[in-house]
Amino acid sequence: MQHLVVMGVSGSGKTTLALILERRLDWPYAEADEFHPPKNIAKMEAGTPLTDEDRLPWLQKMRDALTEHAREGRSAIVTCSALKRSYRDVLREAQGRVRFVHLTADPALIERRISGRTGHFMPASLLPSQLGSLEPLEPDEDGVVVLVDVPPEEVADRALAGLGLDAQSRADDEIKD
């Protein structure tokens, strides 16, 4: 089994890409925001950045969800900012192969996206703290960096090509596992 963690700062397009990948790969998808305890959401709504201590239980819940999918014989997709390598290390503890799709874009584009969306608790005022905390994928980390300067379906094409995944390779991978 393998899992994809679609990562990046808020507004980079994680949910949009994950939904496309869910459809194309036929793997279950979970939104990282579903794993936040109410106190984390309240902090973010108030414009207060989360601490590493706030994030650890959240990351562990996601790791455990990925492990549960692997135990059930399924690959899975989860969105998660995964801003620091230490956060990605927690997610990598899940059973199965954990791969990252790091979405990146010009900060001005991301700020416009955040400012234009409704119904989300993450304010644009927290973007600078996310960008300041971001530790890009290292060469030894299993994943790809994808620029989100094209329509979402093309971002998905880039991600799948970078990961070496397509319908046939996905089917072959599922058979091997």
Side-chain angles (χ1 to χ4, degrees):
M1 297 298 102
Q2 66 178 307
H3 308 296
L4 299 181
V5 177
V6 181
M7 63 169 281
V9 298
S10 185
S12 60
K14 296 183 297 293
T15 300
T16 300
L17 178 60
L19 289 169
I20 294 168
L21 295 176
E22 175 187 43
R23 184 185 80 239
R24 288 194 189 179
L25 296 172
D26 195 29
W27 295 355
Y29 149 71
E31 175 69 42
D33 293 341
E34 298 169 13
F35 298 92
H36 272 301
K39 70 176 188 159
N40 283 9
I41 293 172
K43 281 181 89 168
M44 289 184 284
E45 284 176 335
T48 305
L50 299 178
T51 65
D52 287 352
E53 293 77 28
D54 293 327
R55 287 186 178 97
L56 183 59
W58 170 66
L59 293 163
Q60 291 169 330
K61 281 177 141 180
M62 278 184 278
R63 174 203 62 204
D64 295 347
L66 293 174
T67 292
E68 186 61 30
H69 282 292
R71 287 180 179 154
E72 294 170 357
R74 294 189 315 246
S75 296
I77 303 163
V78 67
T79 59
C80 177
S81 54
L83 298 176
K84 295 183 180 181
R85 184 180 181 120
S86 62
Y87 304 166
R88 297 188 294 272
D89 289 343
V90 173
L91 297 171
R92 263 191 288 276
E93 293 171 357
Q95 283 185 8
R97 181 180 181 189
V98 178
R99 304 177 79 191
F100 296 89
V101 179
H102 178 184
L103 301 181
T104 187
D106 181 271
L109 171 64
I110 293 174
E111 186 173 356
R112 283 194 306 275
R113 286 179 172 185
I114 293 172
S115 297
R117 67 185 180 184
T118 58
H120 196 278
F121 56 81
M122 179 72 174
S125 63
L126 290 180
L127 180 58
S129 74
Q130 283 201 332
L131 291 169
S133 296
L134 178 63
E135 297 173 1
L137 282 179
E138 298 283 334
D140 66 326
E141 292 184 276
D142 192 356
V144 295
V145 177
V146 180
L147 185 61
V148 295
D149 61 344
V150 294
E153 291 289 340
E154 290 179 46
V155 172
D157 292 342
R158 289 176 176 177
L160 292 170
L163 294 166
L165 289 174
D166 59 28
Q168 185 57 48
S169 66
R170 177 185 56 84
D172 293 345
D173 183 59
E174 295 296 324
I175 292 168
K176 289 179 203 169
D177 292 329

